[in-house]
C-alpha cells in the first residue's frame, strides 16, 4: 500500500489510497476508518503521516471526526465506475508550447511565496482559535489590511469599512447591489478606454452608463449628469490600459465634481505596488475629505492570480446600506485563506514579497523597453512605462490592432488587441502586452519575432 521509495509523500499516498478504497466500496458511508495509531502501525509509518492524510480528507469533506468515536466516512463512491469518468483535461498541442504569450494577469504560482504560505497554513490548521468573522470577513485580516494601506497608500479606513471579496467582479457586484438597494435606477459609469470586464459586468447588472472620455491623464467630466448616475470608476494611479497617471490637478477636480454632484468615485487601485520610477502615486482616497471615494484593492496581482482575494473600502456613509443589504451573509472568501493572509500581512512578509516582485518585474519591464528600442527603433512607441504589469505598444504602421495581433500570432507570438478597451471598438495601431508570466529569454525572442512579423520587409533598410 505504501511505497517508501516513491517521491510522493507518505501522507499523500495514504490520502490517495483511502479515496480509492472509498471509490471501490471497501469503505462506505457511515463506516469508521482505522484509528490513526493502529493504521500507522499497520503501514509501518509515522502517526503524523496518517493524521495529516485524515486531516486533508476531512477538509475536503470525505470524512468527519466524531469525538469518542473516530473518523466516519461521509460519502460513498461504490457506484462510481472509475473507468467511466471522462478525462476533462484539455489536450496540450505542440503549437501551444511554441507560442510566446505576452498575456496579462497570468501571475500564477511561479513566483508565489510557497515556503511562507505553507508555514502559515500549518500554523492556522494547528491553531485551536477560531477567526473573528462577520459578514465582511476576518476582522483581524481587515485590521492588518487597514494598517498596511495606511503605511503604503495613505488610505485612512477602520476595519469596519473593509469588505474582503473573492475578486474584482465580486467587488463590483457588491457596489452594484448596494447602490441598487438605495435607488433601483442607479447607474455607474467608467473611463473610456477602460477595462472591458468592468463594462461587461455593469451591463449584465443593468448599471452601465455612458462612459467618460479619458485621455493623457484627464477625465472629461460633464457639468450636467444623468440623475441616476451614482458612481464613476477610475484607475488614477495607473490608467488601464494606457498606463498614464492622473495628475493632482485632475484628481482635485474630480473630487470636487463628485462632492458637488453627490457622486461616489470607485478608485480601482489594482497594481499600485509596482511603480518603477519615483515614489508610489498617492491614492485618491488619501486626498478625499468628503467620504466620496470607494477604494478597490487586490492581492491577486502581487501574490497570484489564482488566489482570487480582493477587498473594498466603503465610505462611512455606505456602511448602513451594506449592513442592510448583506445582513445574515457570511464572507465569500475561504476563512482558511483569510487567516493565512492575515499572518502574511502581520509579519510583514507581504511587504518583503512586494519588494522582491517589484525588483523582478522592473527587470522585465526595462528589458522590454531596451529590446523594443533595439529591434524597432522609432517604429513603435511604448505607453505605460514606469509602472504596472503591462505595456501598450503603439506600432507606427497603417494596420489595425486585430491585424497586428494576427500577424504576430502567425510568427509565433501572442499579443492582445486593444479594440475592446474602447466603447466604440475603434481600430488603433496598438497592442497590449503583459510580462509577468514570460521569461526574459522569451521577451527577447518574442520582440525579435514581432519585428519580423510587422516590419520584415523593412529590416534591411536603414532608417
Amino acid at each position: 500500500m505504501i511505497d517508501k521509495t516513491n517521491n510522493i509523500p507518505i501522507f499523500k499516498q495514504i490520502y490517495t489510497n483511502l479515496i480509492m478504497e472509498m471509490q471501490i466500496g471497501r469503505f462506505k458511508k457511515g463506516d469508521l476508518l482505522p484509528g490513526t495509531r493502529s493504521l500507522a502501525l499497520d503501514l509501518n509509518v509515522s502517526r503524523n503521516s496518517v493524521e495529516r492524510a485524515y486531516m486533508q480528507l476531512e477538509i475536503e469533506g470525505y470524512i468527519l471526526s466524531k469525538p469518542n468515536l473516530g473518523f466516519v466516512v461521509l460519502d460513498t463512491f461504490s457506484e462510481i465506475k472509475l473507468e467511466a469518468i471522462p478525462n476533462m483535461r484539455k489536450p496540450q498541442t505542440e503549437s501551444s508550447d511554441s507560442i510566446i504569450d505576452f498575456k496579462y494577469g497570468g501571475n500564477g504560482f511561479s513566483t508565489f511565496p510557497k515556503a511562507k504560505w505553507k508555514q502559515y497554513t500549518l500554523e492556522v490548521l494547528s491553531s485551536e482559535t477560531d477567526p473573528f468573522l462577520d459578514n465582511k470577513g476576518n476582522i483581524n485580516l481587515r485590521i492588518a489590511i487597514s494598517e498596511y494601506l495606511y503605511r503604503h497608500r495613505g488610505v485612512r479606513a477602520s476595519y469596519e469599512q473593509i469588505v474582503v471579496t473573492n475578486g474584482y467582479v465580486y467587488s463590483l457586484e457588491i457596489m452594484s447591489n448596494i447602490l441598487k438597494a438605495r435607488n433601483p435606477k442607479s447607474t455607474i459609469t467608467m473611463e473610456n478606454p477602460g477595462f472591458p470586464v468592468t463594462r461587461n459586468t455593469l451591463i449584465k447588472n443593468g448599471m452601465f452608463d455612458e462612459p467618460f472620455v479619458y485621455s493623457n491623464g484627464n477625465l472629461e467630466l460633464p457639468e450636467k449628469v444623468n440623475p441616476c448616475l451614482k458612481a464613476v470608476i477610475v484607475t488614477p494611479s495607473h490608467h488601464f490600459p494606457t498606463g498614464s497617471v492622473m495628475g493632482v490637478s485632475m484628481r482635485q477636480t474630480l473630487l470636487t465634481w463628485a462632492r458637488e454632484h453627490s457622486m461616489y468615485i470607485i478608485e480601482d487601485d489594482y497594481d499600485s505596488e509596482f511603480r518603477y520610477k519615483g515614489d508610489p502615486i498617492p491614492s485618491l482616497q488619501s486626498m478625499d475629505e468628503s467620504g466620496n471615494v470607494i477604494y478597490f484593492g487586490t492581492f491577486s496581482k502581487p501574490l497570484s492570480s489564482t488566489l482570487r482575494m480582493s477587498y473594498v473600502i466603503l465610505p462611512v456613509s455606505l456602511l448602513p446600506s451594506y449592513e442592510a443589504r448583506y445582513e445574515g451573509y457570511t464572507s465569500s472568501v475561504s476563512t482558511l485563506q483569510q487567516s493565512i493572509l492575515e499572518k502574511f500581512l502581520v509579519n510583514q512578509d507581504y511587504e518583503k514579497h512586494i519588494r522582491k516582485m517589484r525588483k523582478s518585474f522592473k527587470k522585465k519591464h526595462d528589458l522590454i523597453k531596451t529590446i523594443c528600442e533595439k529591434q524597432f527603433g522609432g517604429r513603435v512607441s511604448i505607453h505605460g512605462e514606469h509602472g504596472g504589469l503591462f505595456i501598450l505598444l503603439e506600432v507606427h504602421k497603417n494596420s489595425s490592432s486585430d491585424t497586428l495581433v494576427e500577424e504576430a500570432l502567425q510568427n509565433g507570438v501572442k499579443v492582445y488587441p486593444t479594440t475592446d478597451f474602447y466603447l466604440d471598438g475603434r481600430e488603433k495601431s496598438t497592442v497590449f502586452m503583459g510580462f509577468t508570466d514570460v521569461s526574459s529569454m522569451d521577451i527577447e525572442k518574442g520582440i525579435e519575432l514581432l519585428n519580423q512579423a510587422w516590419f520584415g520587409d523593412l529590416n534591411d533598410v536603414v532608417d
Side-chain angles (χ1 to χ4, degrees), residues 84 166 294 396 450:
N166 62 358
I294 301 161
H396 303 316
L450 288 177

Side-chain angles (χ1 to χ4, degrees), residues 199-346:
R199 183 169 66 245
N200 295 338
T201 303
L202 293 177
I203 290 172
K204 288 178 180 178
N205 281 279
M207 299 287 287
F208 183 69
D209 210 323
E210 188 73 20
F212 295 168
V213 173
Y214 180 97
S215 179
N216 298 321
N218 291 305
L219 192 65
E220 295 183 10
L221 301 172
E223 292 184 9
K224 294 184 178 180
V225 298
N226 176 356
C228 294
L229 183 62
K230 301 303 175 184
V232 53
I233 303 172
V234 295
T235 52
S237 295
H238 190 230
H239 176 251
F240 190 97
T242 67
S244 61
V245 175
M246 184 182 289
V248 64
S249 177
M250 183 70 240
R251 290 172 182 239
Q252 291 172 340
T253 298
L254 177 59
L255 288 168
T256 300
W257 177 87
R259 183 177 65 250
E260 291 175 347
H261 290 85
S262 300
M263 192 79 58
Y264 286 106
I265 303 167
I266 299 176
E267 178 182 12
D268 183 10
D269 206 24
Y270 64 99
D271 69 356
S272 60
E273 292 92 347
F274 301 108
R275 186 78 190 161
Y276 311 129
K277 183 178 180 180
D279 295 327
I281 309 300
S283 67
L284 191 64
Q285 199 267 6
S286 68
M287 301 173 61
D288 179 28
E289 299 293 339
S290 303
N292 291 94
V293 176
I294 301 161
Y295 184 92
F296 279 16
T298 182
F299 293 105
S300 296
K301 296 292 186 296
L303 286 172
S304 171
S305 55
T306 61
L307 189 62
R308 308 303 305 160
M309 199 180 304
S310 300
Y311 53 90
V312 175
I313 298 181
L314 299 170
V316 174
S317 60
L318 284 179
L319 289 180
S321 298
Y322 178 88
E323 294 297 343
R325 177 61 179 78
Y326 289 94
E327 182 181 5
Y329 279 62
T330 56
S331 176
S332 63
V333 181
S334 160
T335 55
L336 175 64
Q337 297 284 49
Q338 291 188 59
S339 296
I340 297 168
L341 184 57
E342 174 208 334
K343 288 181 174 289
F344 206 68
L345 280 167
V346 169

Side-chain angles (χ1 to χ4, degrees), residues 365-377:
H365 163 275
D366 293 348
L367 180 62
I368 287 180
K369 188 174 181 181
T370 299
I371 300 301
C372 279
E373 291 173 351
K374 177 182 176 182
Q375 287 288 331
F376 295 117

